[in-house]
Amino acid sequence: APSIVGTSGAGKSTLLGVLLGWHVPAAGTVTIDGAPLCAVALRATTAWVDPAIQLWNRSLLDNLLYAATDDAIGQVGPVMAAARLRGIARALPEGLQTMLGEGGGLLSGGEGQRVRFGRALMVADPRLVLLDEPFRGLDRGQRETLLAEARVWWAETTLLCVTHDLAETQAFVRVLVIEDGRLVEDGAPAVLAAAPSRYRDLLDAETAVQDALRKGTAWRQLT
């Protein structure tokens, strides 16, 4: 289960788009388990979480079941617990039957991401899991909790996770660094971080930005 990192525009989401069939390579061949990629067939067995995934103006329950099989209703309870959706359902005026509005307008950005995550968890026996900034809009503690839940839920499934948060990649066994549309590094995060590398450069850049924000004198405290 590798994480995928790189600067904005490096090609991280494009790589996932190739696997989803949104993009076709201009040259070369993409193979999956030694066979040429059939994106339509692979997408049918892929669980995908991305902020761009559409939420429909239907009930919370219908949104969760959108990509699920007919017999998946029994999974709703465990999925809601894993995606931390029970509190959201309790707060909605009609619970699971509440219409979410076009694009999930009744929900906050972070709540919408949890619904998208829950919908992906409803996919039965996926062959591939693609997470592209899966928990955008949630605070770091919530992101860490849900990412850990995802890795447990899909422990036996190939999982690729695109993230701009370098701290999240430390828990992965493997990290891929994309730069200018090319894979430039592939290794264990601890190993890459311990030596001169593009991954080390990205970590240092993230730390520098965070330090500059914390020490900035142009901030005002509002209560």
Side-chain angles (χ1 to χ4, degrees), residues 1-3 147 151 159-161 168-175 188-189:
S3 58
L147 184 57
R151 297 185 66 195
L159 183 151
L160 302 178
C161 179
E168 293 179 351
T169 67
Q170 302 294 304
F172 284 80
V173 175
R174 184 179 171 196
V175 62

Side-chain angles (χ1 to χ4, degrees), residues 156-178:
E156 304 300 321
T157 305
T158 299
L159 183 151
L160 302 178
C161 179
V162 169
T163 179
H164 282 97
D165 190 338
L166 274 293
E168 293 179 351
T169 67
Q170 302 294 304
F172 284 80
V173 175
R174 184 179 171 196
V175 62
L176 310 179
V177 182
I178 304 291

Side-chain angles (χ1 to χ4, degrees), residues 110-209:
E111 290 171 340
Q113 280 303 94
R114 276 181 273 176
V115 174
R116 294 178 178 94
F117 179 43
R119 181 187 291 177
L121 293 176
M122 293 296 300
V123 177
D125 300 320
R127 185 180 179 192
L128 177 66
V129 176
L130 302 178
L131 308 180
D132 195 347
E133 297 293 341
F135 307 120
R136 185 183 298 172
L138 296 168
D139 63 46
R140 169 159 289 179
Q142 292 174 314
R143 294 200 309 269
E144 290 176 349
T145 296
L146 291 174
L147 184 57
E149 190 70 57
R151 297 185 66 195
V152 170
W153 191 279
W154 289 307
E156 304 300 321
T157 305
T158 299
L159 183 151
L160 302 178
C161 179
V162 169
T163 179
H164 282 97
D165 190 338
L166 274 293
E168 293 179 351
T169 67
Q170 302 294 304
F172 284 80
V173 175
R174 184 179 171 196
V175 62
L176 310 179
V177 182
I178 304 291
E179 192 168 87
D180 296 328
R182 296 178 178 275
L183 175 63
V184 296
E185 288 178 350
D186 177 359
V191 173
L192 292 177
S197 65
R198 285 297 296 137
Y199 182 66
R200 177 72 263 169
D201 293 342
L202 291 170
L203 286 172
D204 291 342
E206 182 176 77
T207 300
V209 169

